Amino acid sequence: MFKGEVDSLIVSSLVGRMQFLANHTPYVAALLPDVIKITQDGFNKYAVIAGGFIEFLDNKAIIMADAAEWPEEIDRERAEEELDRARKKLIAKDENVDYLKAKLKLMKATARLKASDILNKK
């Protein structure tokens, strides 16, 4: 999806938002569904990931994501529908609902809408 030298990379991990700069300590972390921010030559790029892992080693970050997309690839109407479905599942009192899965879908839809908003503000 993306390969290149960057000034910084910001991701959301299980322990919170993290920024990676040159010469960062080697690190491996699980990533949450969210918008990642890539700064390259002073310009920001954004992408949505649906969770995954990051490995930072020898000044190289590798993100292994379950899914990834650029803001311009997002179908906003579909993301709003996914958000609505996830919310309904989370408030349902149904023992057959997988609440963790619903929460992750909610986070992914929220991230997709956030990225769409960023694109529309430019």
Side-chain angles (χ1 to χ4, degrees):
M1 181 170 167
F2 177 83
K3 184 175 184 176
E5 290 189 25
V6 302
D7 303 321
S8 79
L9 172 65
I10 298 177
V11 298
S12 291
S13 76
L14 294 176
V15 296
R17 293 286 282 173
M18 301 181 67
Q19 182 177 31
F20 293 89
L21 301 168
N23 301 312
H24 194 284
T25 303
Y27 200 84
V28 174
L31 299 177
L32 297 172
D34 204 356
V35 175
I36 63 171
K37 180 179 177 182
I38 303 162
T39 303
Q40 184 180 42
D41 299 325
F43 294 97
N44 296 326
K45 296 180 182 189
Y46 300 89
V48 176
I49 62 166
F53 294 89
I54 185 168
E55 175 188 56
F56 192 89
L57 183 64
D58 297 329
N59 263 341
K60 184 185 288 186
I62 297 173
I63 294 177
M64 295 155 277
D66 299 329
E69 60 190 329
W70 297 109
E72 56 271 14
E73 298 171 336
I74 294 169
D75 178 339
R76 185 170 181 87
E77 186 176 318
R78 191 172 130 226
E80 288 171 347
E81 290 169 359
E82 290 169 353
L83 181 68
D84 188 50
R85 277 194 303 274
R87 282 183 175 151
K88 285 178 181 175
K89 283 188 178 185
L90 285 171
I91 61 172
K93 301 213 187 293
D94 184 348
E95 63 186 45
N96 296 320
V97 171
D98 182 339
Y99 287 97
L100 179 57
K101 188 174 181 180
K103 177 67 174 172
L104 289 171
K105 286 186 179 208
L106 179 83
M107 292 171 73
K108 180 182 174 190
T110 301
R112 294 180 79 225
L113 291 170
K114 187 179 354 176
S116 178
D117 290 344
I118 291 168
L119 178 67
N120 291 325
K121 287 182 185 177
K122 289 185 176 182

PDB file of all heavy atoms in Angstrom, residues 39-64:
ATOM      1  N   THR A  39       3.738  11.306   7.947  1.00  0.00           N
ATOM      2  CA  THR A  39       4.266  12.608   7.565  1.00  0.00           C
ATOM      3  C   THR A  39       5.513  12.378   6.729  1.00  0.00           C
ATOM      4  O   THR A  39       6.458  11.712   7.167  1.00  0.00           O
ATOM      5  CB  THR A  39       4.594  13.468   8.804  1.00  0.00           C
ATOM      6  OG1 THR A  39       3.417  13.592   9.599  1.00  0.00           O
ATOM      7  CG2 THR A  39       5.087  14.850   8.394  1.00  0.00           C
ATOM      8  N   GLN A  40       5.483  12.927   5.515  1.00  0.00           N
ATOM      9  CA  GLN A  40       6.568  12.733   4.556  1.00  0.00           C
ATOM     10  C   GLN A  40       6.879  14.085   3.929  1.00  0.00           C
ATOM     11  O   GLN A  40       5.999  14.715   3.330  1.00  0.00           O
ATOM     12  CB  GLN A  40       6.139  11.718   3.499  1.00  0.00           C
ATOM     13  CG  GLN A  40       7.216  11.358   2.507  1.00  0.00           C
ATOM     14  CD  GLN A  40       6.716  10.350   1.488  1.00  0.00           C
ATOM     15  OE1 GLN A  40       5.606  10.455   0.995  1.00  0.00           O
ATOM     16  NE2 GLN A  40       7.554   9.375   1.188  1.00  0.00           N
ATOM     17  N   ASP A  41       8.127  14.520   4.085  1.00  0.00           N
ATOM     18  CA  ASP A  41       8.558  15.816   3.530  1.00  0.00           C
ATOM     19  C   ASP A  41       7.633  16.957   3.966  1.00  0.00           C
ATOM     20  O   ASP A  41       7.319  17.855   3.181  1.00  0.00           O
ATOM     21  CB  ASP A  41       8.644  15.756   2.001  1.00  0.00           C
ATOM     22  CG  ASP A  41       9.654  14.733   1.514  1.00  0.00           C
ATOM     23  OD1 ASP A  41      10.689  14.564   2.185  1.00  0.00           O
ATOM     24  OD2 ASP A  41       9.400  14.102   0.475  1.00  0.00           O
ATOM     25  N   GLY A  42       7.174  16.902   5.208  1.00  0.00           N
ATOM     26  CA  GLY A  42       6.337  17.957   5.757  1.00  0.00           C
ATOM     27  C   GLY A  42       4.865  17.873   5.393  1.00  0.00           C
ATOM     28  O   GLY A  42       4.067  18.704   5.822  1.00  0.00           O
ATOM     29  N   PHE A  43       4.477  16.908   4.600  1.00  0.00           N
ATOM     30  CA  PHE A  43       3.078  16.735   4.214  1.00  0.00           C
ATOM     31  C   PHE A  43       2.498  15.503   4.907  1.00  0.00           C
ATOM     32  O   PHE A  43       3.180  14.492   5.049  1.00  0.00           O
ATOM     33  CB  PHE A  43       2.949  16.581   2.696  1.00  0.00           C
ATOM     34  CG  PHE A  43       3.337  17.825   1.938  1.00  0.00           C
ATOM     35  CD1 PHE A  43       4.615  17.950   1.397  1.00  0.00           C
ATOM     36  CD2 PHE A  43       2.442  18.873   1.784  1.00  0.00           C
ATOM     37  CE1 PHE A  43       4.985  19.097   0.711  1.00  0.00           C
ATOM     38  CE2 PHE A  43       2.807  20.019   1.099  1.00  0.00           C
ATOM     39  CZ  PHE A  43       4.081  20.140   0.562  1.00  0.00           C
ATOM     40  N   ASN A  44       1.225  15.604   5.293  1.00  0.00           N
ATOM     41  CA  ASN A  44       0.563  14.498   5.974  1.00  0.00           C
ATOM     42  C   ASN A  44      -0.255  13.663   5.005  1.00  0.00           C
ATOM     43  O   ASN A  44      -0.937  14.203   4.131  1.00  0.00           O
ATOM     44  CB  ASN A  44      -0.353  15.017   7.075  1.00  0.00           C
ATOM     45  CG  ASN A  44       0.412  15.717   8.165  1.00  0.00           C
ATOM     46  OD1 ASN A  44       1.537  15.340   8.483  1.00  0.00           O
ATOM     47  ND2 ASN A  44      -0.172  16.741   8.741  1.00  0.00           N
ATOM     48  N   LYS A  45      -0.166  12.345   5.181  1.00  0.00           N
ATOM     49  CA  LYS A  45      -1.004  11.389   4.472  1.00  0.00           C
ATOM     50  C   LYS A  45      -1.712  10.586   5.548  1.00  0.00           C
ATOM     51  O   LYS A  45      -1.153  10.335   6.609  1.00  0.00           O
ATOM     52  CB  LYS A  45      -0.153  10.432   3.625  1.00  0.00           C
ATOM     53  CG  LYS A  45       0.611  11.079   2.523  1.00  0.00           C
ATOM     54  CD  LYS A  45       1.407  10.031   1.762  1.00  0.00           C
ATOM     55  CE  LYS A  45       2.224  10.695   0.672  1.00  0.00           C
ATOM     56  NZ  LYS A  45       2.830   9.723  -0.211  1.00  0.00           N
ATOM     57  N   TYR A  46      -2.924  10.167   5.241  1.00  0.00           N
ATOM     58  CA  TYR A  46      -3.697   9.403   6.203  1.00  0.00           C
ATOM     59  C   TYR A  46      -4.178   8.112   5.551  1.00  0.00           C
ATOM     60  O   TYR A  46      -4.436   8.078   4.349  1.00  0.00           O
ATOM     61  CB  TYR A  46      -4.909  10.214   6.687  1.00  0.00           C
ATOM     62  CG  TYR A  46      -4.515  11.498   7.356  1.00  0.00           C
ATOM     63  CD1 TYR A  46      -4.357  12.673   6.626  1.00  0.00           C
ATOM     64  CD2 TYR A  46      -4.277  11.534   8.724  1.00  0.00           C
ATOM     65  CE1 TYR A  46      -3.977  13.852   7.245  1.00  0.00           C
ATOM     66  CE2 TYR A  46      -3.900  12.712   9.352  1.00  0.00           C
ATOM     67  CZ  TYR A  46      -3.750  13.872   8.606  1.00  0.00           C
ATOM     68  OH  TYR A  46      -3.368  15.022   9.223  1.00  0.00           O
ATOM     69  N   ALA A  47      -4.301   7.081   6.350  1.00  0.00           N
ATOM     70  CA  ALA A  47      -4.859   5.816   5.897  1.00  0.00           C
ATOM     71  C   ALA A  47      -5.631   5.212   7.064  1.00  0.00           C
ATOM     72  O   ALA A  47      -5.359   5.514   8.232  1.00  0.00           O
ATOM     73  CB  ALA A  47      -3.760   4.862   5.442  1.00  0.00           C
ATOM     74  N   VAL A  48      -6.583   4.375   6.743  1.00  0.00           N
ATOM     75  CA  VAL A  48      -7.349   3.661   7.769  1.00  0.00           C
ATOM     76  C   VAL A  48      -6.866   2.224   7.768  1.00  0.00           C
ATOM     77  O   VAL A  48      -6.720   1.613   6.716  1.00  0.00           O
ATOM     78  CB  VAL A  48      -8.860   3.680   7.456  1.00  0.00           C
ATOM     79  CG1 VAL A  48      -9.617   2.850   8.487  1.00  0.00           C
ATOM     80  CG2 VAL A  48      -9.382   5.091   7.432  1.00  0.00           C
ATOM     81  N   ILE A  49      -6.595   1.715   8.957  1.00  0.00           N
ATOM     82  CA  ILE A  49      -6.291   0.291   9.079  1.00  0.00           C
ATOM     83  C   ILE A  49      -7.352  -0.341   9.971  1.00  0.00           C
ATOM     84  O   ILE A  49      -7.911   0.311  10.845  1.00  0.00           O
ATOM     85  CB  ILE A  49      -4.870   0.016   9.622  1.00  0.00           C
ATOM     86  CG1 ILE A  49      -4.682   0.583  11.026  1.00  0.00           C
ATOM     87  CG2 ILE A  49      -3.818   0.522   8.656  1.00  0.00           C
ATOM     88  CD1 ILE A  49      -3.450   0.054  11.713  1.00  0.00           C
ATOM     89  N   ALA A  50      -7.613  -1.612   9.717  1.00  0.00           N
ATOM     90  CA  ALA A  50      -8.636  -2.334  10.484  1.00  0.00           C
ATOM     91  C   ALA A  50      -8.006  -3.170  11.581  1.00  0.00           C
ATOM     92  O   ALA A  50      -8.491  -4.241  11.916  1.00  0.00           O
ATOM     93  CB  ALA A  50      -9.451  -3.210   9.536  1.00  0.00           C
ATOM     94  N   GLY A  51      -6.914  -2.673  12.145  1.00  0.00           N
ATOM     95  CA  GLY A  51      -6.192  -3.424  13.166  1.00  0.00           C
ATOM     96  C   GLY A  51      -5.039  -4.177  12.546  1.00  0.00           C
ATOM     97  O   GLY A  51      -4.898  -4.239  11.332  1.00  0.00           O
ATOM     98  N   GLY A  52      -4.187  -4.720  13.382  1.00  0.00           N
ATOM     99  CA  GLY A  52      -3.033  -5.461  12.904  1.00  0.00           C
ATOM    100  C   GLY A  52      -1.868  -5.330  13.871  1.00  0.00           C
ATOM    101  O   GLY A  52      -2.063  -5.217  15.089  1.00  0.00           O
ATOM    102  N   PHE A  53      -0.667  -5.280  13.291  1.00  0.00           N
ATOM    103  CA  PHE A  53       0.556  -5.176  14.093  1.00  0.00           C
ATOM    104  C   PHE A  53       1.528  -4.225  13.429  1.00  0.00           C
ATOM    105  O   PHE A  53       1.511  -4.066  12.207  1.00  0.00           O
ATOM    106  CB  PHE A  53       1.236  -6.550  14.236  1.00  0.00           C
ATOM    107  CG  PHE A  53       0.425  -7.525  15.031  1.00  0.00           C
ATOM    108  CD1 PHE A  53      -0.500  -8.347  14.421  1.00  0.00           C
ATOM    109  CD2 PHE A  53       0.576  -7.595  16.411  1.00  0.00           C
ATOM    110  CE1 PHE A  53      -1.269  -9.232  15.148  1.00  0.00           C
ATOM    111  CE2 PHE A  53      -0.187  -8.477  17.149  1.00  0.00           C
ATOM    112  CZ  PHE A  53      -1.104  -9.294  16.515  1.00  0.00           C
ATOM    113  N   ILE A  54       2.402  -3.620  14.240  1.00  0.00           N
ATOM    114  CA  ILE A  54       3.501  -2.815  13.724  1.00  0.00           C
ATOM    115  C   ILE A  54       4.795  -3.370  14.291  1.00  0.00           C
ATOM    116  O   ILE A  54       4.849  -3.775  15.465  1.00  0.00           O
ATOM    117  CB  ILE A  54       3.355  -1.316  14.067  1.00  0.00           C
ATOM    118  CG1 ILE A  54       4.485  -0.516  13.383  1.00  0.00           C
ATOM    119  CG2 ILE A  54       3.339  -1.079  15.569  1.00  0.00           C
ATOM    120  CD1 ILE A  54       4.287   0.979  13.414  1.00  0.00           C
ATOM    121  N   GLU A  55       5.791  -3.411  13.442  1.00  0.00           N
ATOM    122  CA  GLU A  55       7.147  -3.755  13.880  1.00  0.00           C
ATOM    123  C   GLU A  55       8.037  -2.603  13.443  1.00  0.00           C
ATOM    124  O   GLU A  55       8.036  -2.217  12.274  1.00  0.00           O
ATOM    125  CB  GLU A  55       7.626  -5.047  13.217  1.00  0.00           C
ATOM    126  CG  GLU A  55       9.085  -5.358  13.559  1.00  0.00           C
ATOM    127  CD  GLU A  55       9.627  -6.532  12.765  1.00  0.00           C
ATOM    128  OE1 GLU A  55       9.574  -6.479  11.519  1.00  0.00           O
ATOM    129  OE2 GLU A  55      10.103  -7.477  13.395  1.00  0.00           O
ATOM    130  N   PHE A  56       8.774  -2.034  14.401  1.00  0.00           N
ATOM    131  CA  PHE A  56       9.735  -0.984  14.087  1.00  0.00           C
ATOM    132  C   PHE A  56      11.110  -1.518  14.456  1.00  0.00           C
ATOM    133  O   PHE A  56      11.374  -1.827  15.601  1.00  0.00           O
ATOM    134  CB  PHE A  56       9.440   0.304  14.865  1.00  0.00           C
ATOM    135  CG  PHE A  56      10.223   1.475  14.356  1.00  0.00           C
ATOM    136  CD1 PHE A  56       9.719   2.264  13.333  1.00  0.00           C
ATOM    137  CD2 PHE A  56      11.483   1.770  14.865  1.00  0.00           C
ATOM    138  CE1 PHE A  56      10.451   3.336  12.838  1.00  0.00           C
ATOM    139  CE2 PHE A  56      12.222   2.825  14.377  1.00  0.00           C
ATOM    140  CZ  PHE A  56      11.708   3.623  13.368  1.00  0.00           C
ATOM    141  N   LEU A  57      11.961  -1.640  13.447  1.00  0.00           N
ATOM    142  CA  LEU A  57      13.284  -2.216  13.651  1.00  0.00           C
ATOM    143  C   LEU A  57      14.235  -1.654  12.605  1.00  0.00           C
ATOM    144  O   LEU A  57      13.877  -1.581  11.426  1.00  0.00           O
ATOM    145  CB  LEU A  57      13.202  -3.746  13.525  1.00  0.00           C
ATOM    146  CG  LEU A  57      14.480  -4.546  13.771  1.00  0.00           C
ATOM    147  CD1 LEU A  57      14.962  -4.383  15.212  1.00  0.00           C
ATOM    148  CD2 LEU A  57      14.233  -6.024  13.478  1.00  0.00           C
ATOM    149  N   ASP A  58      15.425  -1.257  13.024  1.00  0.00           N
ATOM    150  CA  ASP A  58      16.441  -0.722  12.112  1.00  0.00           C
ATOM    151  C   ASP A  58      15.906   0.413  11.252  1.00  0.00           C
ATOM    152  O   ASP A  58      16.119   0.464  10.031  1.00  0.00           O
ATOM    153  CB  ASP A  58      17.008  -1.837  11.213  1.00  0.00           C
ATOM    154  CG  ASP A  58      17.728  -2.916  12.003  1.00  0.00           C
ATOM    155  OD1 ASP A  58      18.301  -2.588  13.062  1.00  0.00           O
ATOM    156  OD2 ASP A  58      17.698  -4.079  11.567  1.00  0.00           O
ATOM    157  N   ASN A  59      15.193   1.344  11.883  1.00  0.00           N
ATOM    158  CA  ASN A  59      14.634   2.517  11.198  1.00  0.00           C
ATOM    159  C   ASN A  59      13.642   2.163  10.104  1.00  0.00           C
ATOM    160  O   ASN A  59      13.477   2.911   9.137  1.00  0.00           O
ATOM    161  CB  ASN A  59      15.740   3.411  10.628  1.00  0.00           C
ATOM    162  CG  ASN A  59      16.057   4.559  11.559  1.00  0.00           C
ATOM    163  OD1 ASN A  59      15.267   4.906  12.426  1.00  0.00           O
ATOM    164  ND2 ASN A  59      17.212   5.146  11.369  1.00  0.00           N
ATOM    165  N   LYS A  60      12.967   1.044  10.248  1.00  0.00           N
ATOM    166  CA  LYS A  60      11.960   0.635   9.269  1.00  0.00           C
ATOM    167  C   LYS A  60      10.717   0.182  10.021  1.00  0.00           C
ATOM    168  O   LYS A  60      10.796  -0.639  10.928  1.00  0.00           O
ATOM    169  CB  LYS A  60      12.484  -0.508   8.415  1.00  0.00           C
ATOM    170  CG  LYS A  60      11.519  -0.925   7.307  1.00  0.00           C
ATOM    171  CD  LYS A  60      12.005  -2.139   6.562  1.00  0.00           C
ATOM    172  CE  LYS A  60      13.180  -1.774   5.686  1.00  0.00           C
ATOM    173  NZ  LYS A  60      13.600  -2.901   4.821  1.00  0.00           N
ATOM    174  N   ALA A  61       9.579   0.740   9.608  1.00  0.00           N
ATOM    175  CA  ALA A  61       8.296   0.333  10.189  1.00  0.00           C
ATOM    176  C   ALA A  61       7.581  -0.563   9.190  1.00  0.00           C
ATOM    177  O   ALA A  61       7.485  -0.237   8.012  1.00  0.00           O
ATOM    178  CB  ALA A  61       7.438   1.553  10.496  1.00  0.00           C
ATOM    179  N   ILE A  62       7.103  -1.685   9.674  1.00  0.00           N
ATOM    180  CA  ILE A  62       6.287  -2.578   8.859  1.00  0.00           C
ATOM    181  C   ILE A  62       4.959  -2.730   9.580  1.00  0.00           C
ATOM    182  O   ILE A  62       4.913  -3.133  10.748  1.00  0.00           O
ATOM    183  CB  ILE A  62       6.949  -3.957   8.674  1.00  0.00           C
ATOM    184  CG1 ILE A  62       8.274  -3.802   7.920  1.00  0.00           C
ATOM    185  CG2 ILE A  62       6.005  -4.903   7.938  1.00  0.00           C
ATOM    186  CD1 ILE A  62       9.081  -5.079   7.839  1.00  0.00           C
ATOM    187  N   ILE A  63       3.883  -2.386   8.876  1.00  0.00           N
ATOM    188  CA  ILE A  63       2.538  -2.547   9.427  1.00  0.00           C
ATOM    189  C   ILE A  63       1.882  -3.718   8.708  1.00  0.00           C
ATOM    190  O   ILE A  63       1.807  -3.726   7.479  1.00  0.00           O
ATOM    191  CB  ILE A  63       1.700  -1.271   9.260  1.00  0.00           C
ATOM    192  CG1 ILE A  63       2.299  -0.144  10.114  1.00  0.00           C
ATOM    193  CG2 ILE A  63       0.241  -1.537   9.658  1.00  0.00           C
ATOM    194  CD1 ILE A  63       1.585   1.175   9.968  1.00  0.00           C
ATOM    195  N   MET A  64       1.472  -4.681   9.485  1.00  0.00           N
ATOM    196  CA  MET A  64       0.722  -5.827   8.952  1.00  0.00           C
ATOM    197  C   MET A  64      -0.725  -5.616   9.393  1.00  0.00           C
ATOM    198  O   MET A  64      -1.059  -5.842  10.551  1.00  0.00           O
ATOM    199  CB  MET A  64       1.301  -7.129   9.492  1.00  0.00           C
ATOM    200  CG  MET A  64       2.741  -7.361   9.005  1.00  0.00           C
ATOM    201  SD  MET A  64       3.705  -8.412  10.107  1.00  0.00           S
ATOM    202  CE  MET A  64       4.237  -7.216  11.330  1.00  0.00           C
TER     203      MET A  64
END
